Amino acid sequence: MTTRGAVALARRLVVKVGSSSLTSLDGGLDLARLTALVDVLAARVATGSQVVLVSSGAIPAGLAPLRLARRPRDLATKQAAASVGQLQLAHAYATAFAVHGLIVGQVLMTSDDVVRRAHYRNAQRTFSRLLALGAVPVVNENDTVATDEIRFGDNDRLAALVAHLVGADALVLLSDVDALYDGDPRRAGAARVEEVRGPADVRHVRVHGAGALGTGGMASKLAAASLAAGAGIPVLLAAASQAADALGAADVGTAFAPTGSRLSARRFWLRHAADATGRLHLDAGAVAAVVGRRRSLLAAGITAVDGEFSAGDVVELAGPDGAAVARGVVGYDAVELPALIGRSSHELPAEQRREVVHADDLVPLHGV
């Protein structure tokens, strides 16, 4: 099956739409464009699909009501605009979906909701129940309370994380650009990239920055598409104005074929979402065992320990060159490990002969 065919047949679909596709440069929501998008999504739901919408637009939607001439730069004003705009956005979606007899459930997230394992599992349960009840989850970053330290950075990455979190069959990224191009699409000679089958297909691509109302850009969309495709999720990047065609099998946008196998929710969380609190340095033999043969990490293969962490925290595993090669849940406190590193299991007391990182709690950062 082609990637576009997989999008057309997806029973559970995550759709992300950017700020520039929902709001105007003058500030405020463009209700005509929002309604047009909702009509397309509602038609898809009517076929039996489940749709999760990741929507930007809260901050731009708050500009006009607050009489702000442009997107603010300081955090406090951004949060104030988001507070007003999020209400406008939620009301607009609830009203538009209600025309089709659909209920909207608002889900506001910060990176804590995917970085912390308990929050991640709770988010999974919330999405699962909303979808089971027939609601359309509308997701946005919680800009009202998010600080730079707990931001996703942009909603493209959020959409990729949500796609895996909900077990989506496909991800569609909608923006004001109709595809990935091999150059600036505003200049003559730029050609559309019809399909990306792997990293080699985009090495020659030069991406441009975000628009006036957005925080993302083509670079963030490319990164998000690569993240999702690497986790086995088909992705389509297209213009919001082409939403109906994008959700079908039409030859629009840029398709990203899955480049990896599906990870379990736990392993995906470890690789892409977990916040590493320390680092274990490994010798070459340990790297080969952990990454190449998927074995547990033992104390004998550790050469150094960095950071402060407790048993049960997520740590990075680095090779002799210092590059991170894996992540895992550590079985010891940081203060316990210096006395153990480099020692074979038979040299340790019986109570300390367990794995430092068990294979079931470990995921390589390259490959699956």
Side-chain angles (χ1 to χ4, degrees), residues 221-277:
K221 290 169 180 57
L222 179 56
S226 299
L227 189 159
I233 301 172
V235 182
L236 185 68
L237 168 64
S241 59
Q242 298 175 319
D245 290 333
L247 269 60
D251 184 18
V252 298
T254 298
F256 292 79
T259 57
S261 302
R262 292 258 179 174
L263 294 172
S264 68
R266 180 171 176 79
R267 289 169 69 83
F268 184 87
W269 170 76
L270 279 172
R271 179 188 282 187
H272 296 294
D275 188 13
T277 57

Short mmCIF file of all heavy atoms in Angstrom, two decimals, residues 221-277:
data_model
loop_
_atom_site.label_atom_id
_atom_site.label_comp_id
_atom_site.label_asym_id
_atom_site.label_seq_id
_atom_site.Cartn_x
_atom_site.Cartn_y
_atom_site.Cartn_z
N LYS A 221 8.44 20.90 10.59
CA LYS A 221 7.56 19.90 9.98
C LYS A 221 8.36 18.70 9.46
O LYS A 221 7.94 17.56 9.59
CB LYS A 221 6.76 20.54 8.86
CG LYS A 221 5.71 21.53 9.36
CD LYS A 221 5.11 22.35 8.27
CE LYS A 221 4.08 23.32 8.85
NZ LYS A 221 4.64 24.20 9.89
N LEU A 222 9.52 18.99 8.89
CA LEU A 222 10.38 17.91 8.41
C LEU A 222 10.86 17.05 9.57
O LEU A 222 10.87 15.82 9.49
CB LEU A 222 11.56 18.50 7.65
CG LEU A 222 12.59 17.52 7.07
CD1 LEU A 222 11.92 16.51 6.15
CD2 LEU A 222 13.68 18.27 6.33
N ALA A 223 11.23 17.70 10.68
CA ALA A 223 11.68 16.95 11.85
C ALA A 223 10.56 16.10 12.43
O ALA A 223 10.77 14.94 12.81
CB ALA A 223 12.22 17.92 12.91
N ALA A 224 9.35 16.68 12.51
CA ALA A 224 8.21 15.95 13.06
C ALA A 224 7.83 14.78 12.16
O ALA A 224 7.53 13.68 12.64
CB ALA A 224 7.02 16.89 13.24
N ALA A 225 7.82 15.01 10.84
CA ALA A 225 7.49 13.95 9.90
C ALA A 225 8.51 12.82 9.99
O ALA A 225 8.15 11.63 9.96
CB ALA A 225 7.41 14.50 8.48
N SER A 226 9.78 13.17 10.12
CA SER A 226 10.83 12.16 10.23
C SER A 226 10.70 11.37 11.53
O SER A 226 10.91 10.15 11.54
CB SER A 226 12.21 12.82 10.15
OG SER A 226 12.38 13.49 8.91
N LEU A 227 10.34 12.05 12.61
CA LEU A 227 10.16 11.38 13.89
C LEU A 227 9.03 10.36 13.80
O LEU A 227 9.18 9.20 14.21
CB LEU A 227 9.85 12.42 14.97
CG LEU A 227 9.82 12.00 16.45
CD1 LEU A 227 10.01 13.23 17.33
CD2 LEU A 227 8.54 11.29 16.83
N ALA A 228 7.89 10.78 13.25
CA ALA A 228 6.74 9.88 13.15
C ALA A 228 7.01 8.73 12.18
O ALA A 228 6.72 7.58 12.48
CB ALA A 228 5.50 10.66 12.71
N ALA A 229 7.59 9.05 11.02
CA ALA A 229 7.88 8.01 10.04
C ALA A 229 8.87 7.00 10.59
O ALA A 229 8.76 5.79 10.35
CB ALA A 229 8.42 8.63 8.75
N GLY A 230 9.84 7.48 11.37
CA GLY A 230 10.82 6.59 11.98
C GLY A 230 10.21 5.67 13.01
O GLY A 230 10.79 4.64 13.34
N ALA A 231 9.02 6.02 13.50
CA ALA A 231 8.31 5.17 14.45
C ALA A 231 7.22 4.36 13.77
O ALA A 231 6.33 3.81 14.43
CB ALA A 231 7.69 6.03 15.55
N GLY A 232 7.27 4.29 12.42
CA GLY A 232 6.35 3.44 11.68
C GLY A 232 5.02 4.06 11.32
O GLY A 232 4.09 3.36 10.92
N ILE A 233 4.91 5.39 11.41
CA ILE A 233 3.64 6.07 11.12
C ILE A 233 3.72 6.78 9.78
O ILE A 233 4.58 7.65 9.60
CB ILE A 233 3.31 7.09 12.23
CG1 ILE A 233 3.22 6.40 13.58
CG2 ILE A 233 2.00 7.83 11.91
CD1 ILE A 233 3.08 7.35 14.76
N PRO A 234 2.85 6.47 8.81
CA PRO A 234 2.83 7.20 7.54
C PRO A 234 2.45 8.67 7.78
O PRO A 234 1.59 8.97 8.61
CB PRO A 234 1.74 6.49 6.73
CG PRO A 234 1.53 5.19 7.41
CD PRO A 234 1.83 5.41 8.86
N VAL A 235 3.10 9.58 7.05
CA VAL A 235 2.87 11.01 7.23
C VAL A 235 2.61 11.67 5.89
O VAL A 235 3.24 11.33 4.89
CB VAL A 235 4.09 11.69 7.91
CG1 VAL A 235 3.82 13.18 8.15
CG2 VAL A 235 4.45 10.99 9.21
N LEU A 236 1.70 12.63 5.88
CA LEU A 236 1.48 13.45 4.69
C LEU A 236 1.53 14.92 5.09
O LEU A 236 0.85 15.33 6.03
CB LEU A 236 0.13 13.14 4.03
CG LEU A 236 -0.12 13.87 2.70
CD1 LEU A 236 0.83 13.37 1.62
CD2 LEU A 236 -1.56 13.71 2.24
N LEU A 237 2.34 15.69 4.39
CA LEU A 237 2.45 17.13 4.58
C LEU A 237 1.75 17.81 3.42
O LEU A 237 2.08 17.55 2.25
CB LEU A 237 3.92 17.54 4.64
CG LEU A 237 4.25 19.02 4.57
CD1 LEU A 237 3.69 19.76 5.78
CD2 LEU A 237 5.75 19.24 4.46
N ALA A 238 0.78 18.68 3.70
CA ALA A 238 0.01 19.33 2.63
C ALA A 238 -0.53 20.66 3.12
O ALA A 238 -0.41 21.02 4.30
CB ALA A 238 -1.14 18.43 2.16
N ALA A 239 -1.15 21.41 2.20
CA ALA A 239 -1.76 22.69 2.55
C ALA A 239 -3.12 22.46 3.19
O ALA A 239 -3.85 21.54 2.83
CB ALA A 239 -1.92 23.54 1.29
N ALA A 240 -3.47 23.33 4.14
CA ALA A 240 -4.78 23.23 4.78
C ALA A 240 -5.90 23.39 3.77
O ALA A 240 -6.97 22.79 3.91
CB ALA A 240 -4.89 24.27 5.89
N SER A 241 -5.67 24.18 2.73
CA SER A 241 -6.69 24.37 1.69
C SER A 241 -6.92 23.10 0.88
O SER A 241 -7.92 22.98 0.18
CB SER A 241 -6.27 25.51 0.76
OG SER A 241 -5.03 25.22 0.14
N GLN A 242 -6.01 22.14 0.98
CA GLN A 242 -6.13 20.86 0.28
C GLN A 242 -6.50 19.73 1.23
O GLN A 242 -6.29 18.56 0.92
CB GLN A 242 -4.80 20.51 -0.40
CG GLN A 242 -4.34 21.49 -1.46
CD GLN A 242 -2.97 21.14 -2.01
OE1 GLN A 242 -2.07 20.74 -1.26
NE2 GLN A 242 -2.80 21.26 -3.32
N ALA A 243 -7.09 20.07 2.36
CA ALA A 243 -7.35 19.08 3.39
C ALA A 243 -8.17 17.90 2.88
O ALA A 243 -7.88 16.74 3.19
CB ALA A 243 -8.04 19.72 4.59
N ALA A 244 -9.20 18.17 2.10
CA ALA A 244 -10.05 17.08 1.60
C ALA A 244 -9.26 16.12 0.74
O ALA A 244 -9.40 14.89 0.86
CB ALA A 244 -11.23 17.66 0.82
N ASP A 245 -8.41 16.65 -0.13
CA ASP A 245 -7.58 15.79 -0.97
C ASP A 245 -6.51 15.08 -0.15
O ASP A 245 -6.19 13.92 -0.39
CB ASP A 245 -6.91 16.61 -2.07
CG ASP A 245 -7.90 17.10 -3.11
OD1 ASP A 245 -8.93 16.43 -3.29
OD2 ASP A 245 -7.64 18.15 -3.72
N ALA A 246 -5.95 15.78 0.84
CA ALA A 246 -4.89 15.21 1.66
C ALA A 246 -5.38 14.01 2.46
O ALA A 246 -4.65 13.04 2.66
CB ALA A 246 -4.31 16.27 2.60
N LEU A 247 -6.63 14.06 2.92
CA LEU A 247 -7.18 12.97 3.69
C LEU A 247 -7.67 11.82 2.80
O LEU A 247 -8.05 10.77 3.30
CB LEU A 247 -8.32 13.44 4.59
CG LEU A 247 -7.90 13.88 6.00
CD1 LEU A 247 -6.92 15.04 5.95
CD2 LEU A 247 -9.10 14.24 6.84
N GLY A 248 -7.64 12.05 1.49
CA GLY A 248 -7.91 10.99 0.53
C GLY A 248 -6.59 10.47 0.00
O GLY A 248 -5.55 10.62 0.62
N ALA A 249 -6.65 9.87 -1.17
CA ALA A 249 -5.43 9.30 -1.75
C ALA A 249 -4.90 10.15 -2.89
O ALA A 249 -4.10 9.68 -3.70
CB ALA A 249 -5.69 7.88 -2.23
N ALA A 250 -5.34 11.42 -2.96
CA ALA A 250 -4.93 12.29 -4.07
C ALA A 250 -3.43 12.58 -4.02
O ALA A 250 -2.81 12.56 -2.95
CB ALA A 250 -5.72 13.60 -4.02
N ASP A 251 -2.87 12.86 -5.17
CA ASP A 251 -1.43 13.14 -5.27
C ASP A 251 -1.16 14.60 -4.93
O ASP A 251 -0.90 15.43 -5.80
CB ASP A 251 -0.92 12.81 -6.68
CG ASP A 251 0.59 13.00 -6.80
OD1 ASP A 251 1.26 13.04 -5.75
OD2 ASP A 251 1.08 13.13 -7.94
N VAL A 252 -1.28 14.92 -3.65
CA VAL A 252 -0.98 16.27 -3.16
C VAL A 252 0.07 16.16 -2.07
O VAL A 252 0.27 15.11 -1.46
CB VAL A 252 -2.24 16.98 -2.62
CG1 VAL A 252 -3.28 17.14 -3.72
CG2 VAL A 252 -2.83 16.21 -1.43
N GLY A 253 0.74 17.27 -1.81
CA GLY A 253 1.68 17.34 -0.70
C GLY A 253 2.89 16.44 -0.87
O GLY A 253 3.23 16.00 -1.97
N THR A 254 3.52 16.18 0.27
CA THR A 254 4.67 15.29 0.32
C THR A 254 4.37 14.15 1.28
O THR A 254 3.99 14.39 2.43
CB THR A 254 5.92 16.04 0.81
OG1 THR A 254 6.25 17.08 -0.11
CG2 THR A 254 7.11 15.09 0.93
N ALA A 255 4.51 12.93 0.81
CA ALA A 255 4.28 11.75 1.63
C ALA A 255 5.59 11.28 2.24
O ALA A 255 6.63 11.29 1.58
CB ALA A 255 3.66 10.64 0.80
N PHE A 256 5.55 10.89 3.49
CA PHE A 256 6.71 10.34 4.20
C PHE A 256 6.41 8.88 4.53
O PHE A 256 5.57 8.59 5.39
CB PHE A 256 7.00 11.13 5.48
CG PHE A 256 7.47 12.54 5.25
CD1 PHE A 256 6.56 13.54 4.92
CD2 PHE A 256 8.82 12.86 5.36
CE1 PHE A 256 6.98 14.84 4.71
CE2 PHE A 256 9.25 14.17 5.14
CZ PHE A 256 8.33 15.16 4.81
N ALA A 257 7.08 7.99 3.84
CA ALA A 257 6.86 6.56 4.07
C ALA A 257 7.46 6.15 5.41
O ALA A 257 8.49 6.68 5.83
CB ALA A 257 7.50 5.75 2.95
N PRO A 258 6.84 5.22 6.11
CA PRO A 258 7.41 4.72 7.36
C PRO A 258 8.81 4.15 7.13
O PRO A 258 9.02 3.40 6.18
CB PRO A 258 6.43 3.62 7.79
CG PRO A 258 5.15 3.95 7.09
CD PRO A 258 5.55 4.58 5.79
N THR A 259 9.74 4.54 7.97
CA THR A 259 11.12 4.08 7.82
C THR A 259 11.55 3.15 8.94
O THR A 259 12.67 2.64 8.94
CB THR A 259 12.09 5.27 7.77
OG1 THR A 259 11.94 6.05 8.97
CG2 THR A 259 11.81 6.15 6.57
N GLY A 260 10.68 2.93 9.91
CA GLY A 260 11.00 2.05 11.03
C GLY A 260 9.78 1.28 11.46
O GLY A 260 8.68 1.50 10.97
N SER A 261 9.98 0.35 12.36
CA SER A 261 8.88 -0.44 12.90
C SER A 261 8.24 0.31 14.07
O SER A 261 8.85 1.18 14.68
CB SER A 261 9.39 -1.80 13.38
OG SER A 261 10.01 -2.51 12.33
N ARG A 262 7.00 -0.05 14.35
CA ARG A 262 6.32 0.55 15.49
C ARG A 262 6.99 0.15 16.79
O ARG A 262 7.25 -1.02 17.03
CB ARG A 262 4.87 0.08 15.53
CG ARG A 262 4.03 0.60 14.39
CD ARG A 262 3.16 1.74 14.84
NE ARG A 262 2.38 2.26 13.73
CZ ARG A 262 1.45 3.18 13.86
NH1 ARG A 262 1.19 3.69 15.05
NH2 ARG A 262 0.79 3.63 12.82
N LEU A 263 7.28 1.15 17.59
CA LEU A 263 7.80 0.89 18.94
C LEU A 263 6.63 0.76 19.90
O LEU A 263 5.57 1.34 19.68
CB LEU A 263 8.70 2.04 19.40
CG LEU A 263 10.01 2.26 18.65
CD1 LEU A 263 10.66 3.55 19.14
CD2 LEU A 263 10.96 1.10 18.84
N SER A 264 6.83 0.01 20.97
CA SER A 264 5.83 0.02 22.04
C SER A 264 5.76 1.44 22.61
O SER A 264 6.70 2.24 22.45
CB SER A 264 6.22 -0.97 23.14
OG SER A 264 7.38 -0.50 23.82
N ALA A 265 4.65 1.73 23.25
CA ALA A 265 4.50 3.07 23.83
C ALA A 265 5.62 3.38 24.81
O ALA A 265 6.14 4.49 24.86
CB ALA A 265 3.14 3.19 24.53
N ARG A 266 6.02 2.36 25.57
CA ARG A 266 7.09 2.58 26.56
C ARG A 266 8.41 2.88 25.88
O ARG A 266 9.14 3.79 26.27
CB ARG A 266 7.22 1.37 27.46
CG ARG A 266 8.31 1.52 28.53
CD ARG A 266 8.26 0.39 29.53
NE ARG A 266 9.34 0.46 30.50
CZ ARG A 266 9.35 1.27 31.56
NH1 ARG A 266 8.36 2.12 31.76
NH2 ARG A 266 10.37 1.27 32.41
N ARG A 267 8.77 2.13 24.83
CA ARG A 267 10.04 2.33 24.16
C ARG A 267 10.05 3.65 23.38
O ARG A 267 11.08 4.33 23.31
CB ARG A 267 10.35 1.14 23.25
CG ARG A 267 10.70 -0.11 24.04
CD ARG A 267 10.75 -1.35 23.17
NE ARG A 267 11.87 -1.31 22.25
CZ ARG A 267 13.11 -1.66 22.58
NH1 ARG A 267 13.40 -2.05 23.80
NH2 ARG A 267 14.08 -1.63 21.68
N PHE A 268 8.92 4.03 22.81
CA PHE A 268 8.83 5.32 22.14
C PHE A 268 9.01 6.45 23.15
O PHE A 268 9.70 7.43 22.90
CB PHE A 268 7.49 5.46 21.43
CG PHE A 268 7.35 6.72 20.62
CD1 PHE A 268 7.79 6.78 19.32
CD2 PHE A 268 6.79 7.87 21.18
CE1 PHE A 268 7.67 7.94 18.57
CE2 PHE A 268 6.66 9.03 20.44
CZ PHE A 268 7.10 9.07 19.14
N TRP A 269 8.38 6.30 24.29
CA TRP A 269 8.52 7.30 25.36
C TRP A 269 9.97 7.44 25.76
O TRP A 269 10.49 8.55 25.91
CB TRP A 269 7.65 6.90 26.54
CG TRP A 269 7.89 7.71 27.79
CD1 TRP A 269 7.46 8.98 28.03
CD2 TRP A 269 8.64 7.31 28.94
NE1 TRP A 269 7.90 9.39 29.27
CE2 TRP A 269 8.62 8.39 29.85
CE3 TRP A 269 9.32 6.15 29.28
CZ2 TRP A 269 9.25 8.33 31.09
CZ3 TRP A 269 9.95 6.08 30.52
CH2 TRP A 269 9.91 7.17 31.40
N LEU A 270 10.66 6.31 25.93
CA LEU A 270 12.06 6.36 26.31
C LEU A 270 12.91 7.08 25.27
O LEU A 270 13.78 7.89 25.59
CB LEU A 270 12.61 4.94 26.50
CG LEU A 270 12.31 4.25 27.82
CD1 LEU A 270 12.75 2.79 27.76
CD2 LEU A 270 13.02 4.97 28.96
N ARG A 271 12.64 6.79 24.00
CA ARG A 271 13.50 7.34 22.94
C ARG A 271 13.23 8.82 22.69
O ARG A 271 14.16 9.62 22.55
CB ARG A 271 13.31 6.56 21.64
CG ARG A 271 14.17 7.12 20.50
CD ARG A 271 13.84 6.50 19.17
NE ARG A 271 14.44 5.18 19.04
CZ ARG A 271 14.40 4.47 17.91
NH1 ARG A 271 13.80 4.97 16.86
NH2 ARG A 271 14.96 3.28 17.85
N HIS A 272 11.96 9.21 22.60
CA HIS A 272 11.64 10.54 22.10
C HIS A 272 11.11 11.52 23.13
O HIS A 272 11.16 12.73 22.92
CB HIS A 272 10.60 10.43 20.98
CG HIS A 272 11.09 9.71 19.77
ND1 HIS A 272 12.11 10.21 18.98
CD2 HIS A 272 10.73 8.52 19.23
CE1 HIS A 272 12.33 9.36 17.98
NE2 HIS A 272 11.52 8.34 18.12
N ALA A 273 10.56 11.06 24.23
CA ALA A 273 9.87 11.97 25.12
C ALA A 273 10.47 12.07 26.51
O ALA A 273 10.35 13.10 27.16
CB ALA A 273 8.39 11.56 25.24
N ALA A 274 11.09 11.01 26.96
CA ALA A 274 11.59 11.00 28.34
C ALA A 274 12.70 12.03 28.54
O ALA A 274 13.51 12.28 27.66
CB ALA A 274 12.10 9.61 28.71
N ASP A 275 12.74 12.60 29.73
CA ASP A 275 13.74 13.59 30.10
C ASP A 275 14.88 12.88 30.83
O ASP A 275 14.72 12.42 31.96
CB ASP A 275 13.10 14.64 31.01
CG ASP A 275 14.02 15.81 31.27
OD1 ASP A 275 15.05 15.91 30.58
OD2 ASP A 275 13.72 16.61 32.17
N ALA A 276 16.03 12.75 30.17
CA ALA A 276 17.17 12.06 30.78
C ALA A 276 17.78 12.92 31.88
O ALA A 276 18.04 14.11 31.70
CB ALA A 276 18.22 11.74 29.72
N THR A 277 18.00 12.31 33.05
CA THR A 277 18.52 13.05 34.20
C THR A 277 19.99 12.78 34.48
O THR A 277 20.55 13.34 35.40
CB THR A 277 17.70 12.72 35.46
OG1 THR A 277 17.75 11.30 35.68
CG2 THR A 277 16.26 13.14 35.30
#
